[in-house]
Amino acid sequence: MSRPHSDTDVRAVTEAELPEWIRARHTGFLREPVATEEQVRARRDQFVPGRLLGAFDDGRCVATLRSFAQEITAVGGRPVAADAVSSVTVSPTHRRRGLLTRMITRDLAAAKERGDVVATLIAAEYPIYGRYGFGPATWTAEWTVDVPRAGLDPRWAGPEDGGRVDLVDGEDVRKLGPELHERLRRTQPGAVSRDELWWKVNTGVVRLEPSWTEPFYAVYRSASGEVEGMVSYEADDRWGGNKQPLTTASVNWLIGVTPAAERALWHYLCSIDWITRVKSGRRAPDDLLPLLLPDPRAARVTTQADWLWVRILDVVRALEARTYGGSDSLVLEVVDRGGPAGGRYRLEAGPDGASCAPTGGSADLTLGAGELAALWLGDESAVRLAALGRVREERAGAARRADALLRTSRRPWCPDLF
């Protein structure tokens, strides 16, 4: 018979317990339940006391959660302090005992105490995190390009704008990538910060997972020589009958800080000999890729799903951090069931900035903390949420006014998995 969850100790993990915590994490993610020396060493390098939580039953770790400091870009380009939640697992023997609730409640309370404005995570399953006040704030899409159908010139030998595409190695990526990503992050709502470990993991210097295949890397340089784009990709080795190539290039990640860089890198990938398909990897749902092709139908959507989830911890600072599409005043009644976002707030927004403060005035809109999070980066529509019964208009037309303020011309996007 299973023990009651009160006998399971939820607490901060010590550095000495890292191998046991990693084993439990791997178990929850259905990976080989072992911790290699390299994995332990990498986790030790990023270990912060109190930010690694575990649930222990008779000394065995049966649930895991990790959080770390992060910045997320708000609408308008301002970085916002975030509590990034990751590595959330519960072993199959200990489900339905409230272990996740105990861990995430503890972590969010600590994040609020630290002064973080929001919490973020990538949800493996949709229904879990809404009950903790998270809402889907960005979406992701993946395309598979049928290269022969795309209509691109097969004689293409490089960008026509005076720029160039060069192959580079992992060392070059670690030198050039961080600054390039910072340029993207300053302009892309929903993008998150990357630390030095991210670049080491994604170039194979540090291996958190047991398998690693060395990818190809290419950079786009403008006519002036400035690096404006970078891509990491892999290729399989498939051939059909009569020795016909059927090779697929799979993009791990692609950064482009200008449309010219994006165009050049996608065209480069589609021009490689033997490549008949290009899999885009995770992109923004309104990415330029399909319309960069003479025949956009050659790019078939293979994934479209929620991606980054956000939890508002400080409503005032979150709403004041971003810019708005017009001038208006809205009173929002945020329902948070005892959480940190609950209350009634007046938002005054205009071209010179925004102010937000608690108010006793009558509400224009009533919504949950998760719905506010979904609206915060400008992707979701208050009108649509009202139609679904998830936002209630207290004053006619308030949802439409909220959309005029909050929605963005391009959709927010988080390129990262964490």
Side-chain angles (χ1 to χ4, degrees):
M1 181 177 294
S2 297
R3 298 184 178 190
H5 72 261
S6 58
D7 286 350
T8 305
D9 184 23
V10 172
R11 57 175 172 80
V13 174
T14 67
E15 194 169 348
E17 293 170 323
L18 277 173
E20 175 63 11
W21 184 90
I22 294 170
R23 182 206 54 74
R25 177 185 180 274
H26 287 184
T27 298
F29 287 138
L30 299 179
R31 298 172 184 169
E32 186 179 5
V34 296
T36 66
E37 290 184 9
E38 186 170 18
Q39 290 166 345
V40 173
R41 193 162 52 245
R43 292 294 181 186
R44 186 171 288 121
D45 288 343
Q46 61 181 188
F47 179 78
V48 177
R51 300 296 293 262
L52 214 66
L53 301 181
F56 291 82
D57 189 351
D58 275 348
R60 183 181 181 88
C61 189
V62 294
T64 64
L65 182 148
R66 172 180 175 252
S67 70
F68 58 95
Q70 184 187 75
E71 287 185 345
I72 180 173
T73 303
V75 177
R78 184 173 173 182
V80 171
D83 173 56
V85 179
S86 182
S87 298
V88 179
T89 74
V90 177
S91 295
T93 53
H94 286 69
R95 297 167 68 240
R96 303 292 183 265
R97 301 190 188 189
L99 299 182
L100 170 57
T101 296
R102 293 169 65 189
M103 290 190 299
I104 202 164
T105 299
R106 175 173 174 157
D107 181 76
L108 293 178
K112 175 66 175 177
E113 182 68 22
R114 280 192 306 270
D116 291 334
V117 179
V118 300
T120 60
L121 56 81
I122 308 294
E125 297 179 60
Y126 193 97
I128 296 174
Y129 295 99
R131 66 180 185 265
Y132 303 114
F134 286 84
T138 78
W139 287 61
T140 191
E142 297 185 51
W143 283 269
T144 298
V145 178
D146 184 344
V147 174
R149 280 194 54 196
L152 296 167
D153 185 352
R155 300 168 297 176
W156 188 84
E160 296 82 9
D161 58 4
R164 57 183 290 169
V165 176
D166 296 310
L167 288 166
V168 296
D169 60 23
E171 184 178 358
D172 296 314
V173 170
R174 291 189 295 276
K175 290 178 181 177
L176 301 172
E179 182 180 354
L180 183 67
H181 176 260
E182 282 301 300
R183 290 181 62 189
L184 173 71
R185 188 166 74 94
R186 287 195 295 267
T187 61
Q188 178 60 63
V192 298
S193 53
R194 293 176 178 174
D195 59 15
E196 183 182 3
L197 181 63
W198 189 96
W199 295 99
K200 289 181 176 179
V201 169
N202 284 274
T203 55
V205 174
V206 174
R207 302 187 181 182
L208 291 177
E209 304 300 336
S211 61
W212 167 259
T213 299
E214 185 70 22
F216 302 95
Y217 307 103
V219 300
Y220 166 81
R221 291 182 169 91
S222 67
S224 66
E226 185 176 12
V227 174
E228 295 184 346
M230 182 178 292
V231 63
S232 165
Y233 66 96
E234 301 173 25
D236 60 15
D237 185 23
R238 290 190 60 227
W239 293 76
N242 206 29
K243 296 181 66 176
Q244 292 299 306
L246 297 173
T247 303
T248 298
S250 298
V251 173
N252 298 318
W253 48 265
L254 185 150
I255 300 172
V257 297
T258 63
E262 292 188 59
R263 182 186 300 274
L265 289 174
W266 289 122
H267 204 158
Y268 161 74
L269 290 165
C270 291
S271 73
I272 300 172
D273 288 343
W274 302 350
I275 298 298
T276 59
R277 294 196 313 168
V278 172
K279 299 178 76 170
S280 72
R282 297 182 297 271
R283 306 298 301 167
D286 61 349
D287 196 78
L288 298 179
L289 170 60
L291 297 179
L292 291 174
L293 305 176
D295 185 352
R297 294 182 183 179
R300 176 171 54 92
V301 175
T302 49
T303 298
Q304 185 168 345
D306 59 283
W307 190 242
L308 182 75
W309 287 58
V310 169
R311 207 278 186 225
I312 305 292
L313 299 172
D314 189 322
V315 173
V316 171
R317 292 168 64 203
L319 293 179
E320 289 185 341
R322 55 158 292 169
T323 58
Y324 295 86
S327 299
D328 204 347
S329 174
L330 279 174
V331 176
L332 306 175
E333 178 80 37
V334 182
V335 179
D336 198 15
R337 297 190 180 90
R344 187 173 298 176
Y345 305 88
R346 180 179 298 277
L347 171 65
E348 301 273 359
D352 297 327
S355 64
C356 180
T359 181
S362 59
D364 296 305
L365 285 177
T366 298
L367 69 168
E371 284 66 42
L372 178 63
L375 294 169
W376 179 61
L377 287 176
D379 195 44
E380 188 53 88
S381 161
V383 169
R384 187 163 81 153
L385 292 179
L388 292 167
R390 293 168 54 189
V391 165
R392 185 172 70 245
E393 283 193 317
E394 308 296 353
R395 183 171 286 112
R400 176 186 54 78
R401 289 168 49 210
D403 280 352
L405 276 182
L406 295 164
R407 300 208 78 183
T408 55
S409 55
R410 291 289 301 273
R411 298 182 70 175
W413 176 48
C414 177
D416 287 36
L417 171 66
F418 57 88

